[in-house]
Amino acid sequence: MWIADLWKDYQVIDCSGGEKLESWQKYLLIRPDPQVIWNTPKTEKGWKKPNAHYFRSQKGGGQWTFYDLPEQWSVDYTLPCERTLSFQLKPFSFKHTGLFPEQAANWDWFSELIVKADRPIKVLNLFAYTGGATLAAAAAGASVTHVDASKGMVQWAKENARSSGLAEAPIRWIVDDCVKFVEREIRRGNHYDAIIMDPPSYGRGPKGEIWKIEDSIYSFVALCRQLLSDNPLFFLINSYTTGLAPSVLTYMLSTEIVKDFSGTVKSDELGLPVKHTGLILPCGASGRVEFNKL
């Protein structure tokens, strides 16, 4: 398991009864987590005095109850290259805050690859959300194309870039359906040294395009392979879909990516340490390809 254990501003304090108690800088949140199927005593005092609590509805969805939480606040994360990223957070629909802290394990991995490459690196970040991976790549010295179908998410990512001191970094911000964008980039003859993708289980593009990961991911990976440069650095897929286990990611990357390039494929779960129990909370999976140097 790849564990994001270098956070200073974030921590999972405890997990029980389908929920996790987290500290986000100085604020305590309680949010549902489907991985937490155990029901242990909630002895941590934070369970009784959170700043906000997201309650899941039996009819689907849910809603926040706020006790003492600002509309927006920030957390920082320092990469191995000693650049600090600052993320603007705010609670919004379906329990999210605008950041997936477990992804820091991937940020550390690929930011070190970018620094060690010691050459210009072009990165394509697809389904890029609020820009965590975009900023990590840019902070390490890469030029990045950030693509997401949501105009609001791209605007949020720009806010994170400004707060991280990366407003002038070579980042191209694109609001578009990821599949259609990749198809156009292939026709244009553009190539990238690294590709990152964090596809949703289900989603819609800006013009109603439907994305269902089980039906679309394999062909999409094959499509993205055509965008890799002659000397690629890495390829990364993140998945929060139960059916896409690490072994499935490994097979997909081995058959569609490494067949044309010399490289190593590794896939594993992502995890966050839990302070109260010492356990590791599983948080999805990632598949990584690290290409051999030419």
Side-chain angles (χ1 to χ4, degrees), residues 22 25 31 41 48 59 62 69 79 106 133 163-164 182 189 198 212 252 263 267 279 287:
E22 311 161 290
Q25 209 231 29
R31 297 191 296 158
K48 297 180 180 179
K59 298 179 181 180
L69 188 72
L79 296 165
N106 282 324
S163 63
S164 298
V182 168
D198 198 346
K212 190 174 181 182
M252 181 167 54
S267 300
L279 300 176

Side-chain angles (χ1 to χ4, degrees), residues 49-61:
K49 293 186 177 181
N51 295 97
H53 192 159
Y54 186 93
F55 292 95
R56 190 181 295 281
S57 169
Q58 293 182 349
K59 298 179 181 180

Side-chain angles (χ1 to χ4, degrees), residues 85-101:
L85 308 177
S86 184
F87 299 101
Q88 303 303 307
L89 306 180
K90 47 194 170 186
F92 71 110
S93 61
F94 197 62
K95 78 179 181 180
H96 295 310
T97 63
L99 186 67
F100 292 95

Side-chain angles (χ1 to χ4, degrees), residues 83 85 134-136 138-139 160-171 173:
R83 287 291 303 268
L85 308 177
T134 292
L135 302 188
N160 287 335
R162 284 193 291 270
S163 63
S164 298
L166 293 167
E168 302 303 318
I171 303 172
W173 306 101

Side-chain angles (χ1 to χ4, degrees), residues 7 29 59 118 141 146 174 198 208 212 225 229 232 238 240 269 283:
W7 279 96
L29 304 185
K59 298 179 181 180
D118 196 28
H146 173 111
I174 307 291
D198 198 346
K212 190 174 181 182
R225 174 174 49 84
S229 68
N238 294 306
Y240 292 93
E269 292 181 280
C283 303

Side-chain angles (χ1 to χ4, degrees), residues 129-149:
Y129 195 49
T130 58
T134 292
L135 302 188
S143 59
V144 186
T145 297
H146 173 111
V147 187
D148 197 278

Side-chain angles (χ1 to χ4, degrees), residues 189-207:
N190 289 335
H191 294 91
Y192 296 87
D193 304 300
I195 296 177
I196 300 166
M197 64 172 70
D198 198 346
S201 297
Y202 180 85
R204 290 183 180 271
K207 295 182 179 179

Side-chain angles (χ1 to χ4, degrees), residues 14-28:
D14 196 13
C15 304
S16 180
E19 296 181 313
K20 56 188 174 185
L21 171 67
E22 311 161 290
S23 65
W24 296 79
Q25 209 231 29
K26 63 180 179 180
Y27 300 107
L28 295 179

